[in-house]
Structure formats: C-alpha cells, structure tokens
Amino acid sequence: MRHKNLDPSNETSRRVILFPAIDLKEGRCVRLVQGDMAQAKVFNDDPADQAATFERQGFSWLHVVDLDGAFAGAPRNAAAVEAILARVKMPVQLGGGVREMRTLEGWIEKGISRVIIGTAAVRDPAFVREAARRHPGKIAVGIDAKDGRVAVEGWAQTSSMTAEDLGRRFEDAGVAAIIYTDIARDGILKGLNIEMTLALANAVRIPVIASGGLASMADVDRLLEPDCAVLAGAITGRALYDGRIDPAEALAAIARAATAP
C-alpha cells in the first residue's frame, strides 16, 4: 500500500516527508523531554537561523511548535515564528495555542502553510471542521497520546479519548493530516512508536505523520519498510540537534526509496 499523499498534485508527495522540528520557548529553539517544560534544553537562541540551516540542508518542510502558546492557549512566540517565515521559503506547519479562528487565520495570513489544531480538536471539533472548510489543505490535527489516551493543554492533561477515536472523528472533515505524537517517547531518543502510529494510520483515511522518539538512521530506515508505506512522514527533533541523524544521509535514503520499483 502506498502512503497517503499530503498533496496528491505534488510529484514530491510520493516520498515520505522528514520534518525537522523547531520547538519555541521564550523565543528560543529548545527540545523538551516527554513534554516537560522544566526539562527544556536550548539548542539555538535564534530560531530563524536554525530554520535557515534546515532549509540549506535540503529539508522540504518545517515543523514548528509554540510551546508557551500550547500551555497558555494563545500564541506566545509570534515574533520568533514571523522571523522564521521571513527567513525561509520552505512551507511551515505550526502548532501550539491555536484555539480560535482568529488566531488560525492570522497565521495563514502571515504565511503558515498548515496550522495544527491540538487541544481544540478534542474540546471543539466543530472548530476543526469549520477551519478545514474555510481553508482546504491547510489544517492538520495534532493527536498527542499518553498511555494510549489523548493529552491536551500542552500535554498537561489526559482525556478519556483514544487516538483512533479522535482520528475517526475527522474522517469526513477534510483535514490535510494528523500528526501523531507518543508523549512517552518524545525527546528521549528511544525510537518511534511504529505499532501505535500504524494502528492509527490504518484506522483512518487521513495522512498520518509520525512524531516522538525518532532517534537514528535505523528509525528512518524503518519508515521506509513496506508496512510503513501508509505513513505520510515523520518529525525529527533532538536526533538532528545531537547529530545522531545526518540530514544528507537521511534525505538521500528517502529519495532512493521513492524511486525504487
């Protein structure tokens, strides 16, 4: 089975997309451990500079999260995001603190290619549906799971809903993608939770992007195995910053896989 294209009209959408991640806290580029704001390690004081580095390395998309915004329920790192948008040409998907239409449409007007709705997808599914109707192809749902249950409010609270239940809720809504994060693996370099991610991807028709724990080229190679062909992509953060993944090697492997018979 081929993976579900994020953009069927785009020739490059036949390959898995590897998204480098920039997590913003107090205007700086950081990485957390299992979503714990107290365990934030700063990797770059200039997020726009980091974004430009990722673009030079050949990545085709950028994944950005406003961590402070996720906890506050409203944007808190707008200046950093705007600086990134001014610096790079590659499309950017952004999540964190998007709880109302005004915020979402403000980001789209500023140039964000895809807005990720997380907490509001659980609390206000009608918001997601209306956003997807107004902005086709520009809305993604962020599903962050903790012990199999969906977490909200910057991962500070756990709901009673499963990831598959939430994903199915938006089957007919027209969302462009689901970003599935296993919180227990995020930032600890233990590898993606392929089993749970594939379970979600096989339960819905929406393209699924894997997140949380990608640690090495072994994980990239795993994404290129036949059973992972249903996945649209994966997000990588700490492994890039720590040098555990070589961007050129990873992107070359993905390119080879896309052209293989």
Side-chain angles (χ1 to χ4, degrees), residues 18 47 67-68 96 102 123 127 135 154 172 218 220 247:
L18 193 61
L67 294 172
D68 300 303
R102 181 175 59 181
R123 303 276 168 80
F127 169 52
H135 304 284
D172 61 347
V220 176

Side-chain angles (χ1 to χ4, degrees), residues 36-60:
D36 185 354
M37 290 286 269
Q39 297 189 64
K41 180 176 180 180
V42 177
F43 281 96
N44 198 326
D45 288 322
D46 185 347
D49 176 71
Q50 185 63 59
T53 296
F54 287 143
E55 188 168 61
R56 286 195 303 271
Q57 290 170 337
F59 291 100
S60 60

Side-chain angles (χ1 to χ4, degrees), residues 19 36 62 75 130 134 167 218 245:
F19 297 78
D36 185 354
L62 180 65
E130 179 61 14
R134 291 192 194 184
I245 291 178

